[in-house]
Structures are given as structure tokens and as C-alpha cells.
Amino acid sequence: MPVRELGLPVRVSSPGGLPERVTIWEVGPRDGLQNEQAVIPVEVKLEFLDRLAGAGLTTIEATSFVHPKWVPQLADAEELLAGLRFRDGVRYPVLVPNERGLDRALAAGVRHIAIFASATETFANRNLNRTLDEQFAMFDPVVTRARAEGLDVRGYVSMCFGDPWEGAVDPAQVVAVGTRLLDMGCSQLSLGDTIGVATAGQVESLLGAFPSVEPLAVHFHDTYGQALSNTLAALRLGVSTVDSSAGGLGGCPYAESATGNLATEDLVWLLDGLGVRTGVDLDALADTSAWLAGKLGRPSPSRVVRALRG
Ligand code: HMG
Ligand code: MG
């Protein structure tokens, strides 16, 4: 008998110290598909986005307006936005690195953007072709113009815990970069463990180094299987927005050793079990990831998808 019919996961009332509700920031169509070897047809991407919204996700990062030669997998951003069925109550943020990207996003009717900074010099250079300092000069006019147009702007900080070239990252460096993004006008800061090396103690140290957790979200890749325990550590410290990717797809083409994000199904299984509300229908989501795995020609890396859909 499938475990869902047995009433699993067993729900307990939400223990103290956890938020009653968590906002899931779904990054599968962007972080997931940017890392695929094959270019996925736009029709498949559109169905993926629509199924995610149908499963109850209300924030779905749709694509990136980056240089198409840097990320050819998302070069169809305009076509995707033109074909997207915008659903009421669902936000579709996109990544924007610079003013050229912002022009393209505005022309496509985007209302929510995310800029993405690096906590380390090497990754700023590899991912953005800028020095650590130059990245701020690139982002500043983007945030100013976007805010003037009434757009919401999220800021990512990548390599918050470890960097494949520079090793361990000092929390003070992450706080310095994050503070500059917040001062520019970002409404939220997503702290990225781009290569998935963090453990829960490091998460506590980093979150504790910020003056407030209120603007913070977390973005864990699952390379070393720590993403769920890291998320739980963040939730216990008051974070209530968590990034994850349907089916556990993901990775960054400019960071060696980056693997998939925390799978949204694994996150929802945990939160359902804890009685923390997400608004996500786990069965509809697992169906979506099983369907996409069929299109990609390989099984989903999510443990929960494999357990539920074999
Ligand atoms: P660059 O080569 O330095 O660009 O790339 P440039 O400013 O020198 O411009 C060169 C030419 O590119 C110009 O054309 C521009 O117009 C054009 P020309 O005048 O020579 O004809 N151009 C563009 N065209 C279209 N769209 C644009 C654009 N920008 C410039 N947006 C750039 C700099 C930032 C553009 C490049 O490095 C880039 O696109 N990087 C993106 C890399 C990326 O997307 N990485 C993955 C996302 S980050 C991630 O996954 C981490 C995250 O998940 C969090 C975590 O896990 O930690 C967010
Ligand atoms: Mg990522």
C-alpha cells in the first residue's frame, strides 16, 4: 500500500520555535533547468511552470535574463514569458544581472526580479565576469531602476559557506555583501550554499551574524545531504522563506561541484510532518517531478519523489 494511503508522514503539532507557515520559493524552472545538459523545449518548461502553480506553489522563479551565451539553457526567456499563463496569487520572479537584463525583463512584463551577488572574489569573477566590488556597480542601477518601476527585488548571496576555489567563507564577508544588497533596496536576501557544503552549526553562526533574520531566506544545495538539516536549523532561528527545487534538480554551471537544490518534495514532507503549512499539494508536486523526470530521461534525485513514485 502506498505510504500516503497509510496517512504518512505522521503529523505532529508544530513544535515551538518553528514558523506556522513557510513560503517556498520554487527555483526548479531556473536553478534546475539552467544546469541541464540538453536544452528543454519551451513547451515543456511552460507545462512545468503551470503544474507547479497547480500544485500550490505561489512563488516560482521562472527563468533568467542573463547573457544567452553564458546560460544557453535559458536563452528562451522572452518566449517563455510570452507563453506563460500568469495565475492569480502566483509570483514569477526572474534573475537579472545587469541593466541589459532589466530592459529585457521589463519588456517581457516581469514584476519581480532577483539580482545575484557573490560572497567571494573568485565566484564573482567566474559567474559575473566582475570583481567583488564591480558586482555592486553592476547591480546598483538595476535595483534603483527596478524599484522606481515598482518591482520587487530579491538579492541572492552565493558561496555563503564554502567556495570551491577559496575554501571556507568568513560569515563577516557574507554579512558585508548582504548588507550592501539590502542597503541598495533589496526586500529579501537569500543566502546560498551554492556547492552544498554547509552543516547546521555553520547555518546558525551565519544567521546569528546578521542583525536580524527578518529579511533572510535560505537556499541550500544538497551535495552532501545536509540541505534538510540546514533548513531545519534556519527555521528554528526564525527564517520562514525557503528556496527549493521540484524533484531536486539544480546546480550552477559556473560552480564546479554544485549539485541539485534541496528538493521541494523533501522539504514539504518534512514540513507536513511538522504541521507547518506550505499550501503545497505533495502528491500533485511528486506527479509533476515524475513527469519531468520522464522528459529529462532520468530519475528524480529527490528521495521523496522516488519513495512516492518509484
Ligand atoms: P559580460 O560578458 O561581462 O557582459 O557578462 P558585458 O556587460 O561586457 O556585455 C557584453 C555583451 O553582452 C554586450 O553586447 C551586452 O549587451 C550583452 P554587445 O554590446 O557586445 O553587443 N549582454 C547581454 N545580453 C543579453 N542579456 C543580458 C546581457 N548582459 C550583457 N543580460 C554577465 C556579464 C553578468 C552578463 C554574464 O556574466 C552573465 O550573464 N552571467 C550569468 C551567469 C549565471 O546566470 N549563473 C547562474 C545563476 S547564479 C546561481 O545559480 C546561484 C544561485 O542559485 C544562488 C546559489 O546557489 O548560491 C542564484
Ligand atoms: Mg542555486
Side-chain angles (χ1 to χ4, degrees), residues 30-31 34 194 219 221 251-252 261:
R30 194 279 303 171
D31 208 334
Q34 77 179 8
T194 319
H219 179 105
H221 287 258
C252 178
N261 290 79

Side-chain angles (χ1 to χ4, degrees), residues 249-267:
L249 299 173
C252 178
Y254 293 98
E256 295 143 37
S257 67
T259 60
N261 290 79
L262 168 63
T264 309
E265 291 84 354
D266 298 17
L267 175 62

